[in-house]
Amino acid sequence: MVTELLSTSSADIEIAAELIKNGELVGMPTETVYGLAADALNPSAVAKVFAAKGRPADNPLIVHIADISMLTELALDIPEAAYRLAERFWPGPLTMILKKKDCIPDITSGGLDTVGIRMPDHMAARMLIEKSGLPVAAPSGNISGYPSPTKSEHMMRDMNGKIAAVIDGGECSVGVESTVISFENDNTVRILRPGGVTREDLLEVVDDVIVDPAILHELSEGQTVRSPGMKYKHYSPLAKVSIIEGEYEDFCDYVNQHKGNGVYALVFDGEESGVTVSALSYGYDDREQAHQIFSRLREFDLLGAKNVYVRAPKAEGVGLAVYNRLIRAAGFEVIQV
Ligand code: TXA
Ligand code: MG
């Protein structure tokens, strides 16, 4: 299959919408990461998504909508708080887990009776949904286990020859996936995956926000997961990633002692000179680190890195999402210095 690279022109989105209606897959830009889009209501189209990514069948897909009226067509028993959250954060990086209606096929929801729904903040994504007239299922467009794509080149690296088209909508502005929440009761939500909408943001709309312990800790054997995605290895480049937690001087000492062939460092902007190995930087504040993290992890593979020592981000604000992705990329290995 030849994977066509499309633009965000109205004519090209029309082509992409036809592909979606015909049960084909399209790489779709969003503000978080690129998604691998398919008609959420078509089981054979959704099956192609699982096959192209190599994704475990029990890991459900997020369904993307372009209009709030689509929400009531897809979900049941919607809590009042969900409408307030939608009002405040949509379009944007928030996914709400709700009880699903029967129109959502089991393959899309990974066999669960719930469905994650979000309205993306990218014109091309919403135009694709509107023009196809369909809710669009879209996991991140990476091969399962690899860092998520934040540029069309990343989508092409992972999906060229496997899907019908990729829409080049530029670099994703947020850079990490959406915040996934479930409802504990009408005024309490639980963050299952941290993202661009922070705990503090959510507290402006609901009384209580629980941060699920699985966000920063490895699940122990037999522990139940509230979100299937929590139990899989994730976001890992080919290189081995280690998070180094401690002061800058101690970080540099540790890395310099472990210098060798294929050893690299990922540091904050302006810190490259403290280490004697080759280093990339990933911004300084939480927003910038989120924006750059996946792209940097992919760059290390292009450089042929074998070991990457990462200066730990602050797990605050969107930094919680950055930390969550890195700790999974590192297989939960954190070195204290
Ligand atoms: O920003 C995003 O959310 C991107 C863009 C493309 O929208 N999508 C994305 O999808 O990150 P994916 O499939 O890579 O991650 C979805 C996560 C998984 O961890 C999955 O287990 C969880 O959301 N999830 C989806 N539906 C769920 C449900 N019904 N119950 C619990 N967790 C769910
Ligand atoms: Mg993903």
Side-chain angles (χ1 to χ4, degrees):
M1 180 181 279
V2 176
T3 303
E4 206 178 342
L5 193 59
L6 299 171
S7 74
T8 54
S9 71
S10 168
D12 274 11
I13 302 284
E14 201 76 64
I15 294 172
E18 280 307 310
L19 291 168
I20 295 287
K21 285 198 269 184
N22 291 329
E24 298 297 335
L25 309 187
V26 173
M28 170 179 81
T30 83
E31 81 283 26
T32 59
V33 301
Y34 275 72
L36 184 54
D39 173 358
L41 307 180
N42 176 344
S44 67
V46 172
K48 290 182 192 170
V49 172
F50 282 89
K53 279 182 64 84
R55 183 176 175 106
D58 70 347
N59 197 1
L61 305 185
I62 293 172
V63 175
H64 297 71
I65 62 174
D67 191 278
I68 191 87
S69 67
M70 291 175 94
L71 182 62
T72 48
E73 287 167 32
L74 304 172
L76 284 171
D77 302 342
I78 302 170
E80 200 273 320
Y83 291 104
R84 280 187 280 132
L85 289 163
E87 171 81 16
R88 172 75 175 74
F89 298 112
W90 280 359
L94 180 70
T95 297
M96 297 194 265
I97 308 292
L98 297 163
K99 229 165 150 191
K100 82 170 186 77
K101 280 195 172 167
D102 288 342
C103 63
I104 307 270
D106 283 345
I107 185 168
T108 304
S109 67
L112 300 174
D113 59 2
T114 55
V115 60
I117 301 182
R118 101 170 178 101
M119 190 191 294
D121 189 15
H122 195 296
M123 266 317 286
R126 291 207 305 282
M127 270 170 62
L128 179 64
I129 299 164
E130 271 163 21
K131 283 188 194 280
S132 65
L134 291 163
V136 159
S140 51
N142 52 288
I143 289 171
S144 250
Y146 203 61
S148 296
T150 54
K151 299 176 181 177
S152 62
E153 299 97 276
H154 300 161
M155 269 309 304
M156 277 297 194
R157 177 204 173 274
D158 287 17
M159 294 296 156
N160 194 11
K162 294 205 265 182
I163 65 175
V166 171
I167 301 168
D168 182 0
E171 227 182 289
C172 301
S173 56
V174 177
V176 291
E177 304 86 341
S178 61
T179 304
V180 177
I181 60 166
S182 61
F183 292 87
E184 296 281 304
N185 59 51
D186 200 45
N187 246 321
T188 307
V189 301
R190 175 184 292 267
I191 300 180
L192 301 177
R193 180 180 70 182
V197 172
T198 65
R199 178 169 188 272
E200 295 69 36
D201 294 333
L202 293 166
L203 280 169
E204 290 172 18
V205 181
V206 293
D207 290 345
D208 250 314
V209 177
I210 299 166
V211 177
D212 198 282
I215 284 173
L216 291 180
H217 303 283
E218 197 167 12
L219 291 159
S220 48
E221 194 81 37
Q223 206 175 337
T224 50
V225 285
R226 288 188 168 85
S227 180
M230 284 174 171
K231 68 185 180 212
Y232 295 110
K233 185 178 155 85
H234 251 133
Y235 317 116
S236 307
L238 303 173
K240 177 176 158 45
V241 172
S242 309
I243 300 181
I244 313 291
E245 185 97 62
E247 295 300 318
Y248 175 59
E249 286 71 28
D250 301 322
F251 171 88
C252 294
D253 286 348
Y254 184 91
V255 171
N256 294 339
Q257 280 159 23
H258 288 80
K259 150 181 202 166
N261 198 9
V263 175
Y264 285 78
L266 182 60
V267 298
F268 303 158
D269 280 357
E271 293 183 343
E272 295 89 336
S273 60
V275 288
T276 54
V277 304
S278 299
L280 297 178
S281 72
Y282 72 128
Y284 206 89
D285 65 15
D286 58 341
R287 298 265 156 201
E288 200 45 49
Q289 289 178 348
H291 179 67
Q292 296 187 30
I293 186 62
F294 285 134
S295 201
R296 291 292 175 267
L297 291 179
R298 284 174 175 259
E299 273 172 65
F300 283 117
D301 281 350
L302 296 176
L303 291 167
K306 293 193 184 75
N307 287 284
V308 178
Y309 293 110
V310 180
R311 183 119 144 79
K314 275 210 188 76
E316 289 163 13
V318 190
L320 181 63
V322 180
Y323 204 107
N324 166 268
R325 305 312 188 265
L326 277 170
I327 203 169
R328 280 171 169 71
F332 291 93
E333 190 189 348
V334 180
I335 298 163
Q336 303 286 342
V337 292

